[in-house]
């Protein structure tokens, strides 16, 4: 199964993807994490993507699609995977359909208002080493500034600054929101209220995944 997580920056996609990975064993493929790593390591890919990322713009479809293609072909993704941050526009959604055509997919959107997003993004902190996500208010680490999972340093992402956040939200509305209608038309769309706490959101997410997995089981039995 392929789970497509949709939702604006700050909606909690990354956190929910981590929880899905933990409970179901579907690896999380976060294009944002992979691109940030490439930027940190100074690879050619990172040099190409870094400028657009710092402005809150999308990097090229070809570049991101190549990353996703490589990841999904790894043995750990054989049973399924969660996509966090891909597709980001209709062109990418069409590319994705051509990658593993027979893979059953479900699109899950975390729906949340703009005011809450801004508050969450400015208090968000990420681990520089393992990309685990924390929030100073809602999900603080046990030790300030240090990642619970790996002991790495927690930082505010450069693109979580107020000016860049505004641009990222604009890009989301313009380019990514149309995917809702696209997946609704394909009858694989599910919306989840993202305004509550992580545990409550995950309960809704998990109940949808359980239902979809049960359907899969019926199809193959
Ligand atoms: P994220 O961590 O998902 O918020 O992504 C951070 C940044 O990485 C975005 O603002 C884009 O510049 C870039 N990015 C991540 N995923 C994609 C994608 N699927 N297509 C284009 N750019 C992306």
């Amino acid at each position: 199964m392929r789970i497509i997580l949709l939702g604006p920056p700050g909606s909690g996609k990354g956190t929910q993807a981590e929880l899905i990975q933990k409970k179901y064993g579907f690896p999380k493929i976060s294009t944002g994490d992979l691109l940030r790593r490439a930027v940190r390591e100074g690879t050619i890919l990172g040099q190409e993507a870094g400028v657009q990322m710092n402005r809150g713009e999308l990097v090229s479809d070809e570049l991101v699609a190549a990353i996703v293609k490589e990841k999904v072909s790894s043995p750990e993704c054989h049973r399924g995977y969660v996509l966090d941050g891909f597709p980001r526009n209709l062109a990418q959604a069409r590319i994705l359909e051509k990658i593993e055509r027979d893979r059953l997919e479900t699109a899950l959107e975390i729906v949340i208002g703009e005011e809450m997003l801004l508050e969450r993004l400015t208090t968000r902190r990420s681990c520089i080493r393992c990309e685990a996500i924390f929030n100073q208010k809602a999900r603080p680490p046990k030790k300030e500034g240090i990642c619970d999972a790996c002991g790495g340093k927690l930082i505010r992402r450069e693109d979580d600054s107020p000016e860049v956040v505004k641009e990222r939200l604009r890009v989301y509305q313009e380019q990514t929101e149309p995917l809702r209608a696209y997946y609704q038309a394909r009858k694989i769309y599910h919306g989840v209220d993202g305004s509550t706490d992580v545990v409550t959101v995950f309960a809704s997410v998990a109940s949808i995944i359980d239902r979809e997995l049960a359907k899969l089981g019926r199809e193959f039995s």
Side-chain angles (χ1 to χ4, degrees), residues 183-198:
Y183 287 122
Q184 277 169 340
R186 286 192 48 209
K187 300 200 177 1
I188 59 166
Y189 172 88
H190 305 270
V192 169
D193 175 11
S195 65
T196 54
D197 60 286
V198 172

Side-chain angles (χ1 to χ4, degrees), residues 30-42:
S30 160
T31 44
D33 285 354
L34 293 166
L35 288 167
R36 274 185 292 280
R37 192 168 309 153
V39 170
R40 271 201 308 277
E41 289 170 357

Side-chain angles (χ1 to χ4, degrees), residues 34-218:
L34 293 166
L35 288 167
R36 274 185 292 280
R37 192 168 309 153
V39 170
R40 271 201 308 277
E41 289 170 357
T43 62
I44 294 172
L45 176 103
Q47 287 168 23
E48 246 178 81
V51 180
Q52 281 131 316
M53 291 174 77
N54 282 340
R55 289 194 196 131
E57 295 165 4
L58 295 185
V59 309
S60 85
D61 295 339
E62 292 73 27
L63 202 147
V64 186
I67 298 179
V68 172
K69 265 188 204 159
E70 192 197 318
K71 272 276 157 192
V72 303
S73 62
S74 69
E76 60 178 24
C77 289
H78 180 68
R79 270 189 60 242
Y81 45 90
V82 193
L83 290 168
D84 163 17
F86 184 91
R88 262 321 213 265
N89 56 30
L90 283 169
Q92 292 182 10
R94 293 192 182 110
I95 294 173
L96 180 62
E97 268 156 49
K98 294 195 189 109
I99 303 176
E100 300 187 304
R101 282 174 190 276
D102 298 334
R103 180 77 75 179
L104 282 156
E105 50 185 14
T106 188
L108 252 156
E109 182 184 23
I110 305 180
V111 182
I112 183 168
E114 188 162 326
E115 209 172 295
M116 197 173 254
L117 290 176
L118 291 172
E119 150 93 17
R120 282 195 191 174
L121 285 167
T122 45
T123 49
R124 170 160 84 173
R125 296 293 178 268
S126 324
C127 175
I128 198 160
R129 197 184 299 159
C130 75
E131 312 278 356
I133 304 151
F134 297 86
N135 185 284
Q136 284 181 313
K137 289 188 183 164
R139 207 184 179 211
K142 291 193 184 89
K143 208 167 151 200
E144 204 186 320
I146 304 292
C147 174
D148 290 351
C150 77
K153 190 176 162 205
L154 298 183
I155 51 151
R156 180 164 101 169
R157 276 170 46 177
E158 263 183 62
D159 61 350
D160 279 348
S161 68
E163 318 78 65
V164 183
V165 159
K166 249 173 114 182
E167 176 61 7
R168 288 165 65 208
L169 291 175
R170 193 194 65 73
V171 169
Y172 186 83
Q173 278 166 6
E174 186 186 283
Q175 307 226 21
T176 315
E177 259 181 19
L179 291 178
R180 183 186 302 150
Y182 181 76
Y183 287 122
Q184 277 169 340
R186 286 192 48 209
K187 300 200 177 1
I188 59 166
Y189 172 88
H190 305 270
V192 169
D193 175 11
S195 65
T196 54
D197 60 286
V198 172
V199 175
T200 310
V201 176
F202 187 61
S204 310
V205 166
S207 78
I208 293 166
I209 297 175
D210 287 341
R211 253 195 341 258
E212 293 302 307
L213 285 173
K215 271 195 228 162
L216 255 182
R218 279 202 296 277

